Amino acid sequence: MSAFIRIVNIGGQFQMTKEEVEKILINLSKIRLYERELISIKDGAKYIIFDMPAHKYFLENIGFVKYKSYKGWRTLNGYLKQREHTDKVFLYPDLDQYALLDKLNSLSLEELNRIKQDPSQLRYPWMLKSVNK
């Protein structure tokens, strides 16, 4: 439940200067979710202290509290089981997203266009964007 942001690492990862990262973090601190800041920023003795109040609130609401995370996992498990019991039948239901990509690449243009008309028939519809045709 504690956030750690290393500005130098973020800058290196995204090829940004330290100042650009700081500006983005300040902008994120202006965003409010659940009536709480997305990121809070405070001056510490040796470094800047970041916190994520909105995320903490969300996690606590679904049951993830210190030393009692089983409630959160139970909530998530129940949600996932509820989603599993939908009547939706997908095309190629046994394929993972990368096997699906291979399958989509092997389809004829006519079959692919039929699927593109209704991408919701795929379990991983975003894989259509990666098809090389």
Side-chain angles (χ1 to χ4, degrees):
M1 287 278 218
S2 61
F4 176 76
I5 300 172
R6 185 144 186 224
I7 295 173
V8 175
N9 289 2
I10 294 170
Q13 178 73 31
F14 296 105
Q15 300 297 308
M16 301 170 75
T17 66
K18 179 180 170 256
E19 290 75 23
E20 289 173 318
V21 174
E22 286 175 345
K23 184 177 178 182
I24 290 170
L25 289 171
I26 289 169
N27 288 338
L28 284 173
S29 72
K30 295 175 184 175
I31 297 172
R32 298 186 66 80
L33 190 63
Y34 307 113
E35 300 178 13
R36 289 162 176 75
E37 295 172 312
L38 195 58
I39 292 179
S40 67
I41 304 171
K42 297 176 188 165
D43 283 328
K46 297 181 181 178
Y47 47 84
I48 300 170
I49 301 170
F50 294 95
D51 198 9
M52 301 174 78
H55 290 84
K56 284 183 178 180
Y57 177 77
F58 170 75
L59 290 173
E60 289 168 359
N61 270 351
I62 61 173
F64 285 101
V65 289
K66 197 171 187 176
Y67 306 118
K68 295 181 184 175
S69 65
Y70 67 90
K71 291 179 182 177
W73 289 115
R74 190 178 326 145
T75 301
L76 287 178
N77 192 27
Y79 174 74
L80 292 174
K81 283 184 179 178
Q82 178 185 9
R83 291 210 48 193
E84 284 176 4
H85 296 305
T86 62
D87 295 333
K88 180 78 173 160
V89 178
F90 294 105
L91 285 176
Y92 318 114
D94 298 331
L95 301 180
D96 69 9
Q97 59 184 354
Y98 299 106
L100 176 64
L101 179 61
D102 292 339
K103 179 67 177 175
L104 292 173
N105 278 321
S106 71
L107 293 176
S108 70
L109 201 53
E110 181 183 310
E111 292 172 312
L112 193 58
N113 286 335
R114 225 176 309 139
I115 293 172
K116 283 184 178 181
Q117 289 175 358
D118 183 17
S120 67
Q121 52 188 321
L122 296 174
R123 187 178 298 272
Y124 312 105
W126 57 87
M127 295 309 284
L128 278 171
K129 294 178 184 174
S130 303
V131 175
N132 297 322
K133 289 198 181 192

